[in-house]
Amino acid sequence: MRCVKAIFVKQAKDMLKNPMVLVMFIIFPLVAFIMTQLVALQEDDIPNNMFVTMMAAVFSGMGLISAAAGYIAEDIERKSLRFMVMAGVKPFQYLCGTGGFLLFAGTVTSVLFSLIGDFTFNETINFLIVMVAGTAASIVLGTTIGMISKNQQAATSLGMPIAMLLGFAPMIANFNETVKKAAAIMYTQQINVVVNDLEAGLLKPLLVIAINIAVFAVLFVIVYKKKGLQV
């Protein structure tokens, strides 16, 4: 636990020094709030929660991938990862410590979204559950991308196309049945399903998201053990 706590504190300090990353946790709910107040609530034909659910899905499914990848790549560039591996830090400890603060910040942002939206109590609970689960999936995927990248530039170059693919697939799935079937295995599609129908059951979406997290975590462990002492 001491290792996890130390890495958590390190990542928190690094993130607080980076205003661009901090803005990301604010800009998505801020845009949702502005669009809701100026557009959705003024137009009868537009659902009140349309912009809230739209921006929330983008944030949870795409927003944190590049950020998480960048933090890991930064540790690789600074040789911090090599020192931690030599000190006996396990993959799970490093993953929890690195992603822990991002997950905490993402959860706070999810709560902000829920406060902006016009949800019932049960809808709020379902919304927060799937948002936190989706955020966790994005963070684990991002850390895995960071692990296979040589530097922050490479992490961004690899992370952005993957984030865009995962983010836009659910949108295209709304108009194409073939894409919809293929996207069903993506955690971003399951986020999209739930936030657009908060009365829908959570079992299948959470199961798919959990499988995605498990796959990303296994890949992270494999790459961590393989690259840890080579970087």
Side-chain angles (χ1 to χ4, degrees), residues 144-167:
T144 304
I145 292 172
M147 281 298 302
I148 63 178
S149 303
K150 295 181 179 180
N151 50 51
Q152 293 185 68
Q153 183 178 359
T156 301
S157 299
L158 180 59
M160 284 302 297
I162 293 175
M164 292 180 66
L165 172 64
L166 291 170

Side-chain angles (χ1 to χ4, degrees), residues 133-146:
T135 297
S138 287
I139 291 170
V140 179
L141 173 58
T143 54
T144 304
I145 292 172

Side-chain angles (χ1 to χ4, degrees), residues 12 15 22 26 42 44 47 49 51 56 95 114 166 176 186 200-201 205 209 219:
M15 187 175 132
L22 290 176
I26 301 172
Q42 306 301 322
D44 295 334
N49 291 325
F51 294 107
L95 180 61
S114 71
L166 291 170
N176 187 293
M186 299 179 180
I209 294 174
L219 291 175

Side-chain angles (χ1 to χ4, degrees), residues 108-164:
V108 172
T109 301
S110 299
V111 172
L112 290 178
F113 276 118
S114 71
L115 295 175
I116 297 170
D118 182 20
F119 303 134
T120 65
F121 177 78
N122 288 337
E123 288 174 341
T124 299
I125 297 301
N126 287 353
F127 176 82
L128 290 176
I129 289 174
V130 77
M131 281 290 292
V132 173
T135 297
S138 287
I139 291 170
V140 179
L141 173 58
T143 54
T144 304
I145 292 172
M147 281 298 302
I148 63 178
S149 303
K150 295 181 179 180
N151 50 51
Q152 293 185 68
Q153 183 178 359
T156 301
S157 299
L158 180 59
M160 284 302 297
I162 293 175
M164 292 180 66

